[in-house]
Amino acid sequence: MTKNNNIKVLGIETSCDDTAAAVVSVANGDGVVLSNAILSQFEEHKNYGGIVPEIAARAHANHLDDVIKRALSDAETDLADISAIAVTAGPGLIGGVMVGVVTAKAIALATGKPLYGINHLEGHALTTRLTHKTAFPYLLLLISGGHCQLIEVRGLGNYKRLGTTIDDAAGEAFDKTAKLLELGIPGGPAVEKLAMKGDKNRFTLPRPLKNKATCDFSFSGLKTALRREVELLLKENGTVSEQDKADLCAALQDAIADSLAAKTKRAMAVFRESYPDESLPSLVVAGGVAANQHIRQTLEQLCNDSGFSFTAPPLELCTDNAAMIAWAGAERLLNGEAGDDSFVARPRWPLDGNTAPKVGFGKKGAKA
Ligand code: KG4
Ligand code: ZN
């Protein structure tokens, strides 16, 4: 390591379907993404209509070394010049997480550099501190393919979950709709594109749990309601037209945006009770679904109406990437935490260790 206020961290992320490595430097408190290499596994999975964990793990094993080399060369650096290594240690698809963890441990062993096992959700949660220097505390809405949570980010390693989904994540609702309407993967961007040509008011979709006095979400009813509309269209017309699909996508996107806004509004009230002295608290939106323009606009409006500032990392740092993992490692290193190579890969790993999984959590179980 060079001086403690002038570091470079190599990040590795393999918890889902992107093989990613990145180098982030921090000099005098300023974080800079020096490289952000990502290899999408889109081609490997596209014929299956979703991610196949076994194929994902093999693809990570086949390509991770090259992706790491690319990250180092894009950053014009090498392992000797790296201060520490940070790797996603969970939650995620365990085969992929293990590939990343074993690779990172091997690099740490060979180089003698400190190693940090990072919670993928913490990576998403802290990115805004890299991109916007957001100060603790802030309210985080994490909306991705596997997670839908409202979290008080109180400090490094100090997170309080205010709400989570009791079934599907928001991104899952987008992905399942795309599958049902045969729009291909990745589902979210395909639904958003078609929704731009649609009428959100033609179909009425439910807003489950919207009026319940909790910050929890539910999205699985949306998918069922949407399937029913598709069945009705097929019965009446024998087909589902492009316009039908566009209208369904617009209705789905609006229902998700509406539910997210309603629960975020509740969480804002809870946050204000926790931090009454914050004059302009921040809402930070992270995770792949934050790429959705309609959802972003809805949340920005909510912030304007509620006296919160709105922050979202740029799109390439909102979806899965290794820069966020490198940054989380940098935060820990700069916080004086020693590296630790005794951690294990974890398929499930709640960010807030005090919260129990929700009863009725979906088929895949409570990932966080
Ligand atoms: O954070 P992320 O890259 O991966 C994890 O799940 O951790 O998020 C991926 C999710 C997918 O469900 C994808 O369909 C969704 O984010 N997504 C979107 C958009 N772009 C990505 N959902 C809605 N609109 C988008 N433009
Ligand atoms: Zn993610």
Side-chain angles (χ1 to χ4, degrees), residues 120 124 144 320 324:
H120 177 89
H124 280 302
S144 72
D320 284 353
M324 69 182 191

Side-chain angles (χ1 to χ4, degrees), residues 120 124 144-146 171 174-175 188-189 192 287-289 291-292 318-320:
H120 177 89
H124 280 302
S144 72
F174 275 104
D175 294 337
E192 178 173 29
V289 179
N292 185 284
C318 253
T319 48
D320 284 353

